[in-house]
Amino acid sequence: MKSDKRTKLRFDSRAVYYPPDEGTNSIGAPLIMSSSFQYDADIYQQVVDGERKSVNIYGRCGNPTEYQFEEQMMMIEGADACLATASGMAAISVALLGILKSGDHVVCDWTTYSSTHEMLDHRYTDYNIETTFVDTADPEAVRAAIRPNTRIIYFETIANPTMKVAEIPPLVEMAHERDIIVICDNTFASPYVFRPLEWGVDLVVESATKFIGGHSDAIGGAICMKSKLLPADFMEKIRWSTMVKLGSPLAPFNAWLLLRGIQTLGVRLARQCQTAATLAAHFEGHPKVKRVWYPGLESHPQHKIAKKQMPDFGGMLTFEVESADAALTVLDNLELCCFAASLGGVRTTTQIPASMAFLDVPEEQRRQMNIADGMIRVSAGLEDARDLIADFDEALSLI
Ligand SMILES: Cc1ncc(COP(=O)(O)O)c(C=O)c1O
């Protein structure tokens, strides 16, 4: 099928379809594990002359299975270019380091994945790159934080763990008027629930480890681009200037596992969104639960924005019990759900954001991020929602 016809397919069809492999006609993606590739004289000369870019040279520069993953990611994100990386954090680092220089400034949401926050709050400052942390759900706060040297506005489309949803059009407009690049981490939403490039965002970073892979068996990441500000060859530039030099390509076997994950992303997420909504409604009426954060609930602070922007509300939710001890008792007594780091897999996973993902963030900052000690974050899996409710109710009865 021609590429323009592929891009017109609906989401699930784009996710499932691969062109048959040229060498073998296999309908599944071939897995190429080689770390080195044989040159012939023509290829050698093109590489020496700098004319050849995404070519099979050496595994750290790229790999055919990784390129196939990049192509599928472009299809499901609606991107013009994609760069696969070893992890979600590698995608975030390569995107930021590929753009920023000493003296630049970033405006970033208060509530991002802890390692993203840590890098911007500490490590990048060592290289004279400053970040102002704001609530991106408040466009006026973003406007006030912008400086003449601001290069990037960065936020998560559904932000961990409060499931905050910032309204994208005003942020994009404000950024593009000033040639500022907008980057979104879309990990919690996944491209099934939301495709930020369709809303004018310049770069999307994904931890493919999560919903895209979907089976908790592979670490990987991707940067996807569709931008009026960045040059068409931006992704190739950062592939060579940053990703290859940092040594962070996606490993071929992980690319292959993630490719399999993409094919079932739609059906998994449709069910996970449904289960998350069922759990959120159940927790909202539960006597042991103080508060629930799920963008699909009318009580969520950005419910109206989420409804306007997203066709569904995602597979992630958070609820709060009275204390950190109570949260630990609940998680320790779950049997069907796992008490585990990470999210987006076929099994329901739970964690305590304050003492797990945000452990390195000082308490005062955690408060500013609205992260309470008794919060429990849930990634809805594919189990029957009735069994999940029974599991949670039994554990909640112990506090
Ligand atoms: C929102 C978000 N972004 C990025 C990452 C980093 O992804 P990875 O673990 O694949 O590096 C995570 C990890 O949990 C995450 O939750």
Side-chain angles (χ1 to χ4, degrees):
M1 191 188 306
K2 294 221 171 77
S3 160
D4 58 338
K5 190 165 179 193
R6 267 176 92 188
T7 54
K8 289 196 183 88
L9 295 172
R10 289 172 184 81
F11 183 88
D12 283 338
S13 313
R14 268 182 281 150
V16 167
Y17 177 81
Y18 299 127
D21 175 53
E22 274 178 23
T24 61
N25 267 352
S26 68
I27 63 162
L31 168 59
I32 311 288
M33 289 297 291
S34 194
S35 67
S36 277
F37 299 85
Q38 189 164 314
Y39 282 27
D40 64 26
D42 282 350
I43 291 178
Y44 173 78
Q45 200 52 52
Q46 286 167 7
V47 172
V48 170
D49 295 343
E51 284 166 8
R52 210 167 165 121
K53 290 180 178 144
S54 299
V55 67
N56 305 323
I57 301 172
Y58 175 51
R60 181 156 51 77
C61 310
N63 167 288
T65 314
E66 183 203 307
Y67 298 146
Q68 175 100 49
F69 171 72
E70 288 172 354
E71 198 176 319
Q72 290 303 105
M73 284 301 298
M74 280 165 59
M75 285 291 152
I76 62 168
E77 293 274 12
D80 291 336
C82 172
L83 182 57
T85 54
S87 65
M89 269 321 291
I92 293 163
S93 304
V94 170
L96 293 176
L97 291 173
I99 293 168
L100 294 168
K101 297 189 302 299
S102 168
D104 285 345
H105 174 250
V106 178
V107 176
C108 179
D109 193 86
W110 261 120
T111 323
T112 60
Y113 178 55
S114 54
S115 298
T116 310
H117 184 88
E118 282 289 289
M119 289 297 278
L120 288 166
D121 202 19
H122 299 305
R123 290 300 285 131
Y124 287 17
T125 47
D126 296 340
Y127 303 100
N128 192 29
I129 295 164
E130 266 190 72
T131 300
T132 305
F133 295 98
V134 296
D135 179 0
T136 54
D138 175 0
E140 285 319 306
V142 176
R143 195 185 305 277
I146 290 175
R147 300 180 191 167
N149 58 339
T150 303
R151 286 284 286 146
I152 292 172
I153 295 176
Y154 184 102
F155 56 98
E156 295 179 2
T157 50
I158 299 181
N160 181 22
T162 54
M163 312 303 152
K164 178 162 72 177
V165 180
E167 191 173 5
I168 293 188
L171 298 180
V172 166
E173 197 184 318
M174 173 185 324
H176 287 180
E177 275 169 3
R178 298 164 175 82
D179 287 345
I180 297 170
I181 295 152
V182 181
I183 307 183
C184 283
D185 179 334
N186 195 46
T187 300
F188 270 38
S190 89
Y192 171 79
V193 169
F194 190 57
R195 290 179 289 284
L197 300 178
E198 292 174 1
W199 289 74
V201 166
D202 300 285
L203 292 178
V204 173
V205 288
E206 299 271 6
S207 168
T209 313
K210 311 296 181 334
F211 287 105
I212 291 170
H215 292 75
S216 309
D217 53 12
I219 302 275
I223 311 167
C224 292
M225 178 181 101
K226 189 181 184 78
S227 175
K228 291 191 187 114
L229 288 185
L230 292 162
D233 64 351
F234 172 77
M235 213 65 102
E236 271 312 299
K237 277 198 169 132
I238 63 166
R239 178 192 298 279
W240 294 101
S241 71
T242 312
M243 192 277 280
V244 171
K245 307 300 185 284
L246 285 176
S248 53
L250 179 61
F253 187 51
N254 286 3
W256 186 80
L257 287 169
L258 297 173
L259 275 164
R260 266 171 48 128
I262 287 175
Q263 289 187 300
T264 56
L265 182 62
V267 281
R268 280 186 287 109
L269 253 293
R271 171 73 172 272
Q272 284 166 307
C273 291
Q274 204 180 33
T275 299
T278 305
L279 290 176
H282 177 73
F283 290 139
E284 202 164 45
H286 199 289
K288 299 281 177 70
V289 173
K290 281 171 76 177
R291 187 168 173 185
V292 186
W293 285 262
Y294 183 63
L297 290 178
E298 280 182 20
S299 59
H300 190 274
Q302 292 91 35
H303 172 66
K304 285 201 179 114
I305 292 169
K307 213 168 154 182
K308 208 161 59 176
Q309 271 178 193
M310 306 190 305
D312 212 326
F313 302 106
M316 301 295 301
L317 68 146
T318 296
F319 66 96
E320 188 185 343
V321 293
E322 63 185 1
S323 64
D325 284 348
L328 188 58
T329 302
V330 173
L331 297 202
D332 204 30
N333 284 283
L334 291 169
E335 288 185 287
L336 179 60
C337 308
C338 317
F339 176 16
S342 205
L343 58 117
V346 292
R347 290 196 59 188
T348 296
T349 52
T350 55
Q351 66 142 276
I352 301 175
S355 53
M356 293 174 74
F358 292 86
L359 181 62
D360 295 338
V361 177
E363 194 179 334
E364 195 195 315
Q365 276 187 20
R366 283 209 303 269
R367 302 268 169 261
Q368 279 173 298
M369 294 170 165
N370 292 321
I371 298 166
D373 293 343
M375 273 179 168
I376 295 173
R377 191 191 77 190
V378 181
S379 168
L382 296 184
E383 303 89 342
D384 190 308
R386 290 167 296 187
D387 293 326
L388 292 173
I389 286 174
D391 199 30
F392 277 113
D393 280 356
E394 218 172 298
L396 280 164
S397 72
L398 300 172
I399 59 171

